[in-house]
Amino acid sequence: MYSLKELQELIHTRIENLQTGGEPKALYEPIQYVLSLGGKRIRPALCLLSYQLFNSSEPDDSIIYPAIALEVFHNFTLLHDDVMDDADMRRSMPTVHKKWDTNTAILSGDAMMIKAYQYMAMCPGKFMPEVMKEFNDLALGVCEGQQYDMDFETRNDVTVDEYLEMIRLKTSVLIAGSLKIGAVIGGASERDKGLLYDFGENIGIAFQLRDDYLDTYGDPAVFGKNIGGDIVNNKKTFLLLKAMQKAQGHVKDELEMWLKTTDGDDGKKIEAVRDIYDELGIPALSQALMNDYFERSMKALDEVKADDDLKADLKQFAVNLIDRVK
Amino acid sequence: MYSLKELQELIHTRIENLQTGGEPKALYEPIQYVLSLGGKRIRPALCLLSYQLFNSSEPDDSIIYPAIALEVFHNFTLLHDDVMDDADMRRSMPTVHKKWDTNTAILSGDAMMIKAYQYMAMCPGKFMPEVMKEFNDLALGVCEGQQYDMDFETRNDVTVDEYLEMIRLKTSVLIAGSLKIGAVIGGASERDKGLLYDFGENIGIAFQLRDDYLDTYGDPAVFGKNIGGDIVNNKKTFLLLKAMQKAQGHVKDELEMWLKTTDGDDGKKIEAVRDIYDELGIPALSQALMNDYFERSMKALDEVKADDDLKADLKQFAVNLIDRVK
């Protein structure tokens, strides 16, 4: 049995040695480039942790490749998202459409998704119909989440519930699906497969809420990105949507005024909007909601019929997500 | 047993009634739009014709959905190709990135590919590993072909063999794979599956050579598009590559001069380059090569162990491709 850290290392090494090269170079080099940029390899590691709950045999290619497929798919979504957002950098390196060009990024991304399906199809034949169903569902969910996220940019009537559904699709279904696919290939019961999915779905939402929270309230010295980016960009996170819902009178006027201020002093805007959030008690509401999802994820994990020892790493992973400061 | 025409009708109706709608609208409406633009539904019809060679039971969803998957995948490639080529029109209607925008076209295309996998995964479970392998191989092949096609635009040393490999990937592997997937789900022998693939691969190349030929030598009154577009755009087809290979002395100089003329009188350029092709005997070489691939496809089909009656429609399809004038 491997720890989360060991599994991340294993996946890291396997991805480094993955043969994604070949001709034509312009198609395959960007795939290798994107996969070489690193990342925590969380999704494949969760898939393998979930597998281990139900299967004590040494993980072989029939589970490792499906786990890798999840990381390849995740990186494919980043590649195409970066084109759509016209982002310059990813993990401190130029994005594919900047290093090559937009057409290369589109087509390499397409090929990368197909590679993900190739790796996923290396699961044991008897599990393939179920694995494919899960993979297709999560893949489509991620696209739906990305579309909602883009739609929200131009909408002014987004509700908190719609936001939670968007982050469920964009972030959680891939984490939940990764855990479930591991459980399927591990041979788990229907009930346990469902519980692992629930665990992932709830922890994914908690994770995204935490991410939004840290963007506004994180310590700039430890949090990787600049603090306040979401406020500057009027990003419709839980914090802003909840504040818009609760604000009244002059507080509402003030918040709306700041939302219209897009070319002023960023630092001043961040401070002012954060003050409004504080006045409305938004940080506590965000923390409470996050804890709510965290508790739900713990409850689902507790009910999984597997050794507590084996579940310890998944539990620790969830705790780390919530306690993290960066 | 259904004829090619009946199968095209069947697929047409099924695609019309396909439930590709849902939320978010901006993700799913472009998919419905692209699928509603029509087309001959050749790939799914070939898949079903191939299935019928080996299986006399009424086609049910477990073969019809995989057949539809091939059409959905084909249309996905057209959608993303149109973005990459910045094409304004497709089947006389605005392309998705013109009617909506580029981000919508990228993301809807991604979702469309996933829908194709969903439909393909409706094949019988016992065939799924083999069907998925074929589908992944053909999908990756199409991307490779598209990349070579883009690479060729900026290269001046493309050989005839490289061109044939490019059209094999871009056009033939999808046709060959469609036929093979039908054979797999129909329960064909290994040998017959391979023969159907060979039939499709060769007829696909013959088809593309015919298409290139008609672009220069077709009757403008019957051929759908303007004649001579490939010449105007210096498109590296078999005709041009063979001419560049054979031309010598002043003919070579003249051809090179015309290749450099990109903003002159299009009609004059078309006539002049066509005269050079004629002088070098290119049309006959093109016809001979096309017939060569046609003969190879017929030979493969002849060897398939199935009723001649059942093979008649596939044979007729191949003959029509070669005899077609538009």
Side-chain angles (χ1 to χ4, degrees):
Chain A
M1 191 229 163
Y2 296 98
S3 68
L4 174 62
K5 201 166 175 312
E6 285 167 337
L7 291 171
Q8 286 173 290
E9 272 304 310
L10 183 150
I11 290 292
H12 183 73
T13 308
R14 290 296 291 262
I15 286 178
E16 246 182 8
N17 295 318
L18 213 55
Q19 299 303 323
T20 51
E23 299 281 340
K25 282 200 170 50
L27 187 69
Y28 290 113
E29 277 182 356
I31 299 179
Q32 282 206 292
Y33 173 75
V34 167
L35 288 175
S36 74
L37 295 181
K40 299 195 193 98
R41 315 305 191 194
I42 288 295
R43 292 152 193 84
L46 288 177
C47 176
L48 286 161
L49 275 183
S50 179
Y51 166 88
Q52 286 191 150
L53 293 183
F54 310 101
N55 202 316
S56 59
S57 52
E58 178 76 14
D60 64 10
D61 283 356
S62 74
I63 176 66
I64 292 174
Y65 273 106
I68 288 173
L70 297 158
E71 185 69 14
V72 173
F73 179 81
H74 173 58
N75 280 275
F76 143 72
T77 66
L78 300 181
L79 201 173
H80 273 192
D81 283 5
D82 284 342
V83 176
M84 292 185 261
D85 300 342
D86 196 16
D88 293 346
M89 305 292 276
R90 167 69 66 182
R91 306 194 208 276
S92 313
M93 294 285 282
T95 49
V96 170
H97 69 283
K98 291 291 171 191
K99 194 174 158 73
W100 285 270
D101 54 51
T102 299
N103 285 356
T104 300
I106 294 173
L107 192 62
S108 292
D110 293 345
M112 203 166 173
M113 196 203 306
I114 299 162
K115 290 299 281 183
Y117 273 98
Q118 271 188 336
Y119 296 140
M120 193 55 81
M122 289 175 75
C123 75
K126 63 175 172 175
F127 295 125
M128 201 183 274
E130 194 175 353
V131 166
M132 278 300 153
K133 190 199 171 303
E134 290 304 322
F135 191 47
N136 287 327
D137 285 355
L138 77 81
L140 213 47
V142 172
C143 289
E144 291 175 1
Q146 169 70 4
Q147 183 65 54
Y148 280 123
D149 200 14
M150 297 197 305
D151 289 350
F152 288 1
E153 281 172 29
T154 53
R155 276 181 52 194
N156 287 317
D157 57 352
V158 180
T159 65
V160 168
D161 281 352
E162 283 181 311
Y163 173 74
L164 292 172
E165 173 64 3
M166 183 277 281
I167 62 173
R168 186 185 73 79
L169 289 164
K170 190 168 170 172
T171 304
S172 285
V173 298
L174 179 50
I175 291 172
S178 299
L179 286 152
K180 187 166 179 185
I181 286 170
V184 169
I185 300 175
S189 69
E190 282 307 313
R191 183 174 154 78
D192 285 342
K193 284 184 271 189
L195 288 167
L196 260 308
Y197 190 93
D198 292 346
F199 166 69
E201 191 171 56
N202 286 298
I203 204 66
I205 296 174
F207 168 82
Q208 191 58 54
L209 289 171
R210 180 82 190 162
D211 209 52
D212 293 349
Y213 177 88
L214 288 175
D215 194 274
T216 297
Y217 289 99
D219 179 347
V222 270
F223 192 57
K225 343 180 212 184
N226 291 333
I227 296 298
D230 286 350
I231 290 178
V232 172
N233 298 312
N234 294 342
K235 176 93 182 156
K236 296 184 186 84
T237 66
F238 173 80
L239 303 175
L240 177 55
L241 294 169
K242 197 72 194 171
M244 276 159 66
Q245 188 191 316
K246 282 186 72 86
Q248 286 181 323
H250 78 277
V251 180
K252 193 183 175 70
D253 297 341
E254 207 190 329
L255 182 56
E256 279 172 358
M257 184 274 287
W258 281 113
L259 289 176
K260 281 179 200 134
T261 310
T262 49
D263 54 358
D265 178 339
D266 284 350
K268 214 170 143 190
K269 177 172 176 178
I270 294 168
E271 207 187 321
V273 173
R274 194 156 45 189
D275 283 348
I276 295 173
Y277 289 172
D278 289 342
E279 195 179 328
L280 295 167
I282 303 298
L285 290 172
S286 164
Q287 296 273 15
L289 187 63
M290 196 172 65
N291 284 334
D292 213 39
Y293 283 107
F294 175 75
E295 293 301 331
R296 280 188 237 174
S297 77
M298 282 299 107
K299 193 165 168 297
L301 185 61
D302 279 344
E303 288 181 33
V304 172
K305 281 208 170 54
D307 260 19
D308 280 345
D309 276 5
L310 294 169
K311 287 197 263 181
D313 256 16
L314 281 174
K315 193 170 255 179
Q316 192 56 49
F317 164 76
V319 171
N320 288 348
L321 272 190
I322 296 308
D323 284 347
R324 80 201 172 92
V325 286
K326 60 174 180 174
Chain B
M1 192 229 162
Y2 297 97
S3 68
L4 175 62
K5 202 167 176 312
E6 286 167 336
L7 291 172
Q8 286 173 291
E9 273 304 311
L10 182 150
I11 291 291
H12 184 72
T13 308
R14 290 295 292 263
I15 286 178
E16 244 181 10
N17 296 317
L18 213 55
Q19 298 303 323
T20 50
E23 299 281 343
K25 282 199 171 50
L27 187 68
Y28 290 112
E29 277 181 358
I31 299 179
Q32 282 205 290
Y33 173 75
V34 167
L35 288 174
S36 74
L37 295 181
K40 299 195 193 101
R41 316 303 191 194
I42 288 296
R43 290 152 195 85
L46 288 177
C47 177
L48 286 161
L49 275 182
S50 179
Y51 167 87
Q52 286 190 151
L53 293 183
F54 310 102
N55 201 316
S56 59
S57 53
E58 178 76 13
D60 64 10
D61 283 356
S62 74
I63 176 67
I64 292 175
Y65 273 106
I68 289 173
L70 297 158
E71 184 70 14
V72 173
F73 179 80
H74 174 59
N75 279 274
F76 143 72
T77 64
L78 300 181
L79 201 173
H80 272 192
D81 283 4
D82 284 343
V83 176
M84 290 184 263
D85 299 343
D86 197 16
D88 293 346
M89 306 292 276
R90 167 70 65 181
R91 305 194 207 278
S92 312
M93 296 284 282
T95 49
V96 170
H97 68 282
K98 291 292 171 191
K99 193 174 158 75
W100 284 271
D101 54 51
T102 298
N103 284 356
T104 301
I106 293 172
L107 193 62
S108 291
D110 293 345
M112 203 165 173
M113 194 203 306
I114 299 163
K115 291 298 282 183
Y117 273 99
Q118 271 189 335
Y119 295 140
M120 193 55 81
M122 289 174 75
C123 75
K126 64 175 170 174
F127 295 125
M128 200 181 274
E130 194 175 352
V131 166
M132 278 300 151
K133 190 199 171 303
E134 290 304 323
F135 192 46
N136 287 326
D137 286 354
L138 77 79
L140 213 47
V142 172
C143 289
E144 290 175 1
Q146 169 69 4
Q147 184 66 54
Y148 280 122
D149 199 13
M150 298 196 305
D151 288 350
F152 288 0
E153 282 173 29
T154 52
R155 276 182 50 194
N156 287 317
D157 56 352
V158 180
T159 66
V160 169
D161 281 351
E162 283 181 312
Y163 173 74
L164 292 172
E165 174 64 4
M166 184 275 283
I167 61 173
R168 186 186 73 80
L169 289 164
K170 191 169 171 172
T171 305
S172 286
V173 298
L174 179 49
I175 291 171
S178 298
L179 287 152
K180 186 164 180 185
I181 287 171
V184 169
I185 300 176
S189 69
E190 283 305 313
R191 182 174 155 78
D192 285 343
K193 286 184 271 189
L195 288 167
L196 260 309
Y197 190 93
D198 291 346
F199 166 70
E201 192 172 54
N202 285 298
I203 204 65
I205 295 174
F207 169 82
Q208 191 58 53
L209 288 171
R210 180 82 190 161
D211 209 53
D212 293 349
Y213 178 87
L214 289 175
D215 193 274
T216 296
Y217 289 100
D219 179 347
V222 271
F223 192 58
K225 346 180 210 180
N226 292 331
I227 296 297
D230 285 351
I231 290 178
V232 172
N233 299 312
N234 293 342
K235 175 95 181 156
K236 297 186 185 81
T237 65
F238 172 81
L239 303 176
L240 176 56
L241 294 170
K242 197 73 195 172
M244 276 158 65
Q245 188 191 315
K246 282 186 71 85
Q248 286 181 323
H250 77 279
V251 180
K252 193 181 173 73
D253 297 340
E254 206 190 328
L255 182 57
E256 279 172 358
M257 185 273 289
W258 281 113
L259 289 176
K260 282 179 200 134
T261 310
T262 50
D263 54 357
D265 179 339
D266 285 350
K268 213 169 142 191
K269 176 171 176 176
I270 293 167
E271 207 187 318
V273 173
R274 195 156 43 191
D275 283 349
I276 294 173
Y277 288 172
D278 289 343
E279 194 177 329
L280 296 168
I282 304 298
L285 289 173
S286 164
Q287 297 273 15
L289 187 62
M290 196 173 63
N291 284 334
D292 213 39
Y293 283 107
F294 175 76
E295 293 302 332
R296 280 188 236 176
S297 77
M298 284 298 107
K299 193 163 170 297
L301 185 61
D302 280 344
E303 288 182 31
V304 173
K305 282 209 168 53
D307 261 20
D308 280 345
D309 277 6
L310 294 169
K311 287 197 265 181
D313 256 17
L314 281 174
K315 193 169 257 180
Q316 191 56 49
F317 163 76
V319 171
N320 288 348
L321 272 190
I322 296 308
D323 284 348
R324 80 201 172 92
V325 287
K326 61 174 179 174

